Amino acid sequence: MTDPLDAEEIQVLTIESNFTVDSVHEALFVTDAAGTGLDRFDDLLSLRRRVTPNRAEYAMFAAYGAALRSAALRGGVGAALVDTDGEVVALGTAEVPAGGGGQYWDGDNDDARDFVAGADPATAARTDTVVALLSVLATRLGVTLPEPAADTAATLLREFDADQGSLGVGHGRSAAQSFESLGRVVHAEMAALLSAARTGIAVSGHTLYVTALPCRQCLRHLVCAGLERVVYFGSRLPDPPVFHRDSVTTGPDEPRRLTLLPFTGVGPGAYPLLFTRQMRTFRQSRSRSS
C-alpha cells in the first residue's frame, strides 16, 4: 500500500499510484493532516480487533451506492441525507427526473435518460452559445476565424475542457463550465432533498453526505434547506465558496452556517472488501473457539 498524495490536508491511502484525491472509487482510507482515524484503520487492516463502520462511513457508502445508480453522461454523483442519530433518511442520485416524481430506473419502459438518447442537452447548449459568440466576432466585429464557427467552437471547447480538467460540462475549475442548469439531470444533493420532501421528512439540522463537492447551484439549495453540515469526498476547501461566505463555513461548526467538511474514513469503494474481511475473520475465530 502506498500513500501517494497529500493535497490540502487530505491524505488518501490507496493501492494505486495513479490516484487523484477526488476518486471516490479507489480510496482505501481517507485521513487529514492530523492523521484522524489511522489507528482505527491499522486495527482494521491488522485484524487486531473487531472494527465496524462508523456513522460517516456508513452514510458515505449509502451515497456511493446511490451514485452507482446514475447513468448521467457527465459522471454519477450520489448523496445520502442523514438525521441527527446517523440514520439515512433519503438518498439522491444524479439523474434525469421521471414524470410523476423521482428519477428513472433501469428497466423502466419509458426510460428517457440522456444516455438513451446519447446526448446531454447542456453540452449542446454550451456549444450553441460559443458558436453564437464566435458568429458575432466574425460578422459584427470583423474577426477572421480560422475555420467555420461550429468547427472553431468544437476546437475551443475541446482544448478548454482538456486544460480545465472537465468531463464536458460542469466538472472543471472554471466557472465558465457551469452550464449545468441547462441540462435535464437533477443533481444528487437536490434529488435527496426532493425525496425527503415527497415523503414528508423534515431536513433542517440534518447532514448530507455526497460523493463529490457540491456545485454552486446545489450549495445554495442546501443552505436554504437549513442543513447543518455537508460531508463530501474531496480535498479541503481553504475558504468558504465566495458566493456563500455569509452562510457557509469550512472551519468549526458555527450557528446559522452550513459547515462544509471533507470526508475521512474507509473509502466507500473499499467498504465491502474491508468490512467483509473483518466479518469473516471474526466469525471464523468465534467458530474455532466454540
Side-chain angles (χ1 to χ4, degrees):
M1 183 176 68
T2 60
D3 180 4
L5 191 62
D6 182 355
E8 298 182 20
E9 300 185 354
I10 290 294
Q11 293 179 332
V12 181
L13 308 182
T14 175
I15 296 173
E16 300 293 335
S17 58
N18 56 341
F19 183 80
T20 62
V21 73
D22 296 316
S23 181
V24 71
H25 305 286
E26 301 164 11
L28 290 179
F29 193 82
V30 184
T31 187
D32 55 22
T36 300
L38 283 179
D39 289 344
R40 177 172 168 274
F41 182 54
D42 188 47
D43 289 341
L44 179 63
L45 290 181
S46 63
L47 301 173
R48 277 196 295 265
R49 67 179 181 89
R50 183 72 168 95
V51 180
T52 58
N54 60 28
R55 287 178 173 86
E57 291 163 344
Y58 178 77
M60 187 59 79
F61 181 62
Y64 180 71
L68 297 181
R69 176 188 161 190
S70 172
L73 295 180
R74 285 173 274 150
V77 175
L81 188 62
V82 175
D83 67 16
T84 54
D85 293 325
E87 298 292 340
V88 176
V89 297
L91 297 173
T93 188
E95 195 48 89
V96 172
Q103 294 159 297
Y104 290 105
W105 287 93
D106 186 62
D108 286 350
N109 291 330
D110 58 347
D111 191 347
R113 289 176 289 176
D114 288 342
F115 87 92
V116 176
D120 183 341
T123 301
R126 186 179 69 150
T127 300
D128 291 344
T129 301
V130 174
V131 170
L133 290 171
L134 290 173
S135 297
V136 169
L137 286 175
T139 60
R140 299 188 185 179
L141 301 181
V143 175
T144 301
L145 301 178
E147 50 190 345
D151 296 333
T152 303
T155 301
L156 280 174
L157 290 171
R158 183 171 58 252
E159 294 300 319
F160 182 73
D161 288 342
D163 178 68
Q164 295 295 319
S166 172
L167 298 177
V169 180
H171 287 281
R173 296 185 295 271
S174 171
Q177 289 173 299
S178 297
F179 273 67
E180 303 193 69
S181 62
L182 299 175
R184 302 171 64 229
V185 168
V186 176
H187 291 193
E189 300 92 320
M190 287 189 278
L193 291 182
L194 292 169
S195 177
R198 289 198 312 276
T199 54
I201 297 172
V203 302
S204 181
H206 285 14
T207 297
L208 190 72
Y209 286 81
V210 194
T211 59
L213 178 67
C215 71
R216 193 170 72 211
Q217 184 187 34
C218 284
L219 189 57
R220 65 192 182 205
H221 289 83
L222 300 177
V223 170
C224 192
L227 296 190
E228 181 175 319
R229 191 176 297 109
V230 172
V231 180
Y232 61 92
F233 196 98
S235 55
R236 179 178 293 277
L237 296 178
D239 299 296
V242 64
F243 278 75
H244 298 288
R245 286 181 177 171
D246 61 314
S247 56
V248 174
T249 179
T250 56
D253 290 351
E254 297 181 33
R256 298 183 61 80
R257 290 199 178 207
L258 174 68
T259 302
L260 275 179
L261 292 175
F263 168 79
T264 59
V266 172
Y271 183 106
L273 170 69
L274 294 178
F275 289 117
T276 299
R277 179 171 173 261
Q278 279 268 311
M279 180 178 64
R280 288 176 177 169
T281 298
F282 285 90
R283 179 180 294 167
Q284 290 168 357
S285 66
R286 285 197 304 272
S287 299
R288 288 193 295 268
S289 62
S290 59

